[in-house]
Amino acid sequence: MNAVKIVFNQVFRKNLKSGGWWFIVLSPLVLGLIMFGIGYYMSSTTATPQVGVVASAPIQQGLMKQSSDSVKYRTYASQKSAEKALADKKIDGVLTVNAQTPYTSQYLSRQGGQEVSKNTLTANLSQLNTAAVAGELHLTSAQLTKLLTPPSVTTRNVSISDSGKMTTKGGAGESAKYLLAMAISVMFYGFLLSYGSMTAQEIATEKGSRIEEMILSAISARAQFFGKILGIMALMVVQIVLYAIIAGGVLIVGRNNATIRGILSQVDWSMLDATFIIMTLGFFVIGILSYTVLSALLGSLVASQEQASQATMPVVMLSLVGYMAALMSANGSTPLVNILSYIPFLSPLIMPSRLAVGQVSSPEALLALGINVAFLAIFTWLSAKLYETNVLAYSDNSIWHALRQSWTIARSERGRAKTVPAHEK
């Protein structure tokens, strides 16, 4: 245990002080800040289009009442005065409306001015035209309201079991769940690219500098294996805690910001239930652990730091398959995605998304999580055994050849251990 602690402290403290780790932590924040700044600048500098209206007084008053963030109407007494304002760049367009029903209109837009959607103008005029026609037909306000009331459509999202039982799903909450699942998947994929490379690089550097022999003369390979994994995981935890603190600070400071409120208001966060959150976080933790163990195993197969990219490539490709399948799950369930969502390494990326959109139930997701936990335990034990064989083996062959060689050596050593007489052990 002391040896594991020594390796843990060395890996954790060395990377915590390195510029590379801080680049991993700060680069997503800087990128997010730049994207938010661009969006905020564009929204704050984009003025509401100004449209001059030349029409009868009732039409002008009706359009003025419909002014919004998408278009603001201004009245002019004549076509000449409106066109002069257009030439002076005081307005972005001139809307001339004939008062006879059905209304006909002409819109002149200024080149270089703010664009106004034709659909917006049509919708605003349609309301006034309908009211004018209703007046000509002597319809009461109650009759006009009944005429304009659109039909109501109630939707239900259901899942049908093999026995034919229909269960209603909370469709209103799926957007919040899917958003959380995809956000975690993106963070998951980003962590894999960063920390998978860091884990493999950590081991490959020590092997390439030939100091591994000295290290393993003082501690066991198994202690080094678990110490490095725990050190890398601790760095991930620190990064997540930093992000949580920053996110909390942004929400507290920016709760009065219209842009932030607009983003948060798009999702019904109250629909996020505890079961879904716990299940999603469980897949995240198990998935990160699985890929970290895989990165450590593959890193032990290379002979030098220059070959570290060979060790990270299988991790990147495997996680990319899971990430793409998670994106595909939003468009419907397929037999292939169903199978992949139960396979370790892929399941942590796919299953949260499927659970979010109601393609699987909580017991099915729990089954997949259990499979991943059992696999992680077996895979970690096997990787530790292979690590003991690989860490002092140097080969210029491909990583797959090294893996086969390592497996052969491990099996032969296990066979020799069984044949050694008890008094010689």
Side-chain angles (χ1 to χ4, degrees):
M1 186 59 69
N2 288 335
V4 173
K5 185 178 179 180
I6 291 172
V7 177
F8 167 83
N9 289 332
Q10 186 269 335
V11 172
F12 179 74
R13 292 176 181 176
K14 181 188 71 174
N15 287 285
L16 193 64
K17 297 176 183 178
S18 68
W21 183 79
W22 282 105
F23 177 80
I24 292 173
V25 174
L26 297 178
S27 55
L29 298 177
V30 173
L31 180 61
L33 186 61
I34 292 174
M35 293 177 64
F36 177 80
I38 292 174
Y40 180 78
Y41 174 78
M42 292 179 65
S43 63
S44 61
T45 56
T46 302
T48 302
Q50 306 278 331
V51 175
V53 180
V54 180
S56 62
I59 295 177
Q60 288 182 330
Q61 293 172 4
L63 289 175
M64 287 286 289
K65 292 179 180 179
Q66 296 186 66
S67 293
S68 62
D69 293 337
S70 59
V71 59
K72 184 176 181 180
Y73 294 104
R74 299 173 64 177
T75 60
Y76 289 89
S78 65
Q79 185 76 18
K80 184 177 180 180
S81 61
E83 291 180 356
K84 184 178 185 305
L86 184 67
D88 294 338
K89 298 183 178 181
K90 293 181 180 179
I91 56 177
D92 299 293
V94 177
L95 179 66
T96 306
V97 185
N98 185 355
Q100 184 178 358
T101 57
Y103 292 159
T104 59
S105 61
Q106 181 183 26
Y107 180 68
L108 299 177
S109 61
R110 176 172 57 84
Q111 187 175 8
Q114 298 290 336
E115 293 290 334
V116 181
S117 171
K118 181 181 177 180
N119 293 334
T120 300
L121 299 176
T122 303
N124 291 343
L125 284 175
S126 295
Q127 296 184 33
L128 299 179
N129 182 76
T130 302
V133 172
E136 294 175 355
L137 298 176
H138 306 290
L139 297 179
T140 64
S141 58
Q143 290 173 326
L144 179 60
T145 301
K146 187 175 182 179
L147 178 66
L148 297 179
T149 301
S152 175
V153 179
T154 301
T155 62
R156 291 173 58 203
N157 192 327
V158 300
S159 65
I160 303 175
S161 64
D162 295 336
S163 61
K165 183 180 180 181
M166 187 178 297
T167 304
T168 301
K169 295 291 182 180
E174 285 185 0
S175 59
K177 292 180 179 180
Y178 185 71
L179 181 63
L180 177 62
M182 291 312 301
I184 292 180
S185 294
V186 171
M187 185 168 67
F188 189 111
Y189 189 65
F191 273 36
L192 292 183
L193 295 180
S194 302
Y195 288 98
S197 176
M198 181 186 295
T199 305
Q201 194 81 18
E202 184 83 25
I203 299 170
T205 300
E206 292 179 355
K207 289 189 67 176
S209 60
R210 295 299 194 271
I211 64 172
E212 198 70 57
E213 292 85 349
M214 292 184 290
I215 295 175
L216 295 182
S217 65
I219 60 175
S220 67
R222 186 178 290 266
Q224 185 192 41
F225 175 78
F226 287 108
K228 286 186 179 296
I229 290 177
L230 292 175
I232 296 296
M233 292 301 300
L235 291 170
M236 293 186 196
V237 171
V238 172
Q239 183 174 352
I240 293 173
V241 170
L242 287 175
Y243 283 177
I245 294 174
I246 293 172
V250 169
L251 291 177
I252 293 174
V253 174
R255 58 189 173 186
N256 296 324
N257 183 276
T259 303
I260 295 177
R261 287 204 312 271
I263 294 173
L264 297 178
S265 64
Q266 299 298 316
V267 179
D268 185 6
W269 298 101
S270 63
M271 297 303 295
L272 289 176
D273 55 89
T275 302
F276 173 77
I277 295 175
I278 294 173
M279 203 82 71
T280 302
L281 292 178
F283 277 111
F284 177 81
V285 172
I286 297 301
I288 288 292
L289 279 170
S290 299
Y291 276 101
T292 303
V293 172
L294 177 61
S295 298
L297 172 61
L298 296 176
S300 69
L301 295 171
V302 299
S304 63
Q305 183 178 355
E306 290 74 20
Q307 295 178 321
S309 59
Q310 297 182 26
T312 58
M313 186 56 66
V315 176
V316 173
M317 297 305 296
L318 192 59
S319 59
L320 182 60
V321 171
Y323 182 67
M324 296 304 296
L327 294 178
M328 291 170 56
S329 66
N331 299 321
S333 179
T334 64
L336 178 60
V337 173
N338 292 346
I339 296 171
L340 294 179
S341 62
Y342 288 93
I343 297 177
F345 293 119
L346 303 179
S347 180
L349 284 160
I350 304 173
M351 189 57 78
S353 300
R354 297 192 65 209
L355 181 62
V357 297
Q359 293 179 4
V360 294
S361 61
S362 294
E364 291 174 308
L366 187 60
L367 172 62
L369 185 61
I371 293 173
N372 279 267
V373 171
F375 171 80
L376 177 61
I378 297 172
F379 181 65
T380 302
W381 173 83
L382 179 61
S383 297
K385 299 287 289 184
L386 293 176
Y387 184 90
E388 293 176 325
T389 304
N390 302 335
V391 74
L392 292 178
Y394 297 89
S395 174
D396 293 329
N397 294 318
S398 68
I399 192 170
W400 303 114
H401 181 274
L403 182 60
R404 289 195 301 269
Q405 184 180 30
S406 172
W407 178 256
T408 302
I409 295 173
R411 290 185 63 184
S412 62
E413 288 182 350
R414 183 181 179 185
R416 284 199 303 269
K418 289 183 179 180
T419 58
V420 173
H423 66 275
E424 295 183 10
K425 292 183 178 181

